[in-house]
Amino acid sequence: MNTRKIKIIITGVGPSNPDLITERALKLIRDSELIIIPRANINKPGIAENIILNYFPDKNKILMPVYFPMTRDFNLRDKIIYEQIIKINAQINSEKNILFPVIGDSVLYSTGKYLYEIWKKINPDIELELIPGISAHSLAASCAKKFLAMDDEILSIIPGTANHDKILNVINNSDVIAIYKPSAIKNLSEIINIKNFKKIIRVDHAGFDDEKIFTGSEALKNIHEYMSVILLWK
């Protein structure tokens, strides 16, 4: 098995709008020897891939897609990723640095963590570098023209896939809340009492042409989009 020194560079490329990619990320993409690209659908380019191709349309020659199944079965997810990395690891002959672009920020809910941890089992000598990017809640607040947290206010980020009691505990003990994947929360309007908040905003497809912003009680209704963020201010 190949145990040659390899570095994985996981870089955020922004949450959607290609204009929000950092200059550092662009340089890494331009200079990369190999780009492993995440796909939720192996036959369809994802957001991170489309951002890259917006700047480097010929870069598809060195893009190597890896399928990341959207499942809560973590054992199945890891098995699928592991099998793909085994094949990639065997094919690598000269690349020293491997780039892995992710939407949003590289350290927040990043599929890069799965890739790195599984690859480290295959090649224990693999190195890691993290390059930050703009997060989805920052973009959502910007689209809504709202400041998030000020002074001593506590900002909390909640994944909608979390346990309901855990979600309630965080909401009760925070001043400002950003909820990712709100479509995963059942009975959201029952969990969030609108009387407790001075502002409630939901942004769907932030940064895209079909971006939509909902406020108040409307922000808690008919949530079907995966690319949604809810912002709450007490």
Side-chain angles (χ1 to χ4, degrees):
M1 186 173 294
N2 185 0
T3 57
R4 179 181 58 77
K5 279 285 186 181
I6 298 174
K7 178 191 283 187
I8 290 183
I9 304 172
I10 303 173
T11 181
V13 293
S16 57
N17 191 322
D19 291 343
L20 297 178
I21 191 171
T22 65
E23 186 175 338
R24 173 64 172 156
L26 284 174
K27 183 179 185 302
L28 288 168
I29 294 167
R30 183 181 65 243
D31 298 341
S32 63
E33 298 161 327
L34 174 65
I35 300 177
I36 294 180
I37 198 79
R39 284 185 177 180
N41 182 331
I42 192 60
N43 297 314
K44 183 180 179 181
I47 296 174
E49 186 170 353
N50 284 328
I51 290 173
I52 289 176
L53 294 177
N54 182 76
Y55 287 97
F56 304 97
D58 61 337
K59 215 53 173 173
N60 56 356
K61 295 179 182 178
I62 63 168
L63 292 182
M64 186 173 289
V66 171
Y67 172 51
F68 285 78
M70 304 290 284
T71 176
R72 298 292 292 171
D73 186 337
F74 301 144
N75 290 328
L76 175 62
R77 177 200 67 200
D78 290 352
K79 178 178 181 293
I80 291 173
I81 297 172
Y82 180 89
E83 291 172 349
Q84 294 174 92
I85 294 175
I86 283 286
K87 294 178 181 178
I88 294 171
N89 197 69
Q91 293 173 8
I92 293 174
N93 295 314
S94 59
E95 289 80 6
K96 296 179 181 178
N97 294 336
I98 297 171
L99 189 67
F100 187 75
V102 295
I103 59 172
D105 191 358
S106 62
V107 299
L108 184 62
Y109 303 122
S110 171
T111 53
K113 186 174 188 287
Y114 309 141
L115 182 83
Y116 170 68
E117 290 186 343
I118 294 171
W119 206 321
K120 194 169 180 63
K121 293 177 182 179
I122 299 169
N123 186 342
D125 293 327
I126 200 162
E127 298 177 0
L128 173 66
E129 183 176 351
L130 294 170
I131 308 297
I134 296 175
S135 60
H137 62 277
S138 293
L139 174 60
S142 298
C143 292
K145 298 180 175 61
K146 301 295 182 182
F147 295 98
L148 274 176
M150 302 295 291
D151 301 321
D152 58 354
E153 291 179 327
I154 297 174
L155 167 65
S156 295
I157 302 170
I158 298 174
T161 52
N163 176 275
H164 280 203
D165 290 338
K166 207 172 182 179
I167 291 173
L168 279 172
N169 182 58
V170 173
I171 289 176
N172 291 334
N173 291 282
S174 304
D175 301 302
V176 185
I177 302 101
I179 303 179
Y180 283 45
K181 305 176 185 176
S183 60
I185 304 178
K186 296 179 180 178
N187 303 319
L188 183 61
S189 58
E190 296 179 12
I191 292 177
I192 299 175
N193 186 342
I194 61 173
K195 295 179 181 179
N196 296 332
F197 299 93
K198 60 184 180 183
K199 284 197 297 281
I200 301 176
I201 293 174
R202 185 180 98 228
V203 183
D204 292 355
H205 282 202
F208 290 94
D209 292 337
D210 60 345
E211 172 187 298
K212 293 181 180 178
I213 298 177
F214 303 87
T215 60
S217 60
E218 291 301 312
L220 307 179
K221 300 177 181 177
N222 303 316
I223 306 174
H224 306 295
E225 295 292 341
Y226 176 81
M227 299 292 291
S228 295
V229 175
I230 289 180
L231 302 174
L232 309 165
W233 289 264
K234 287 185 178 175

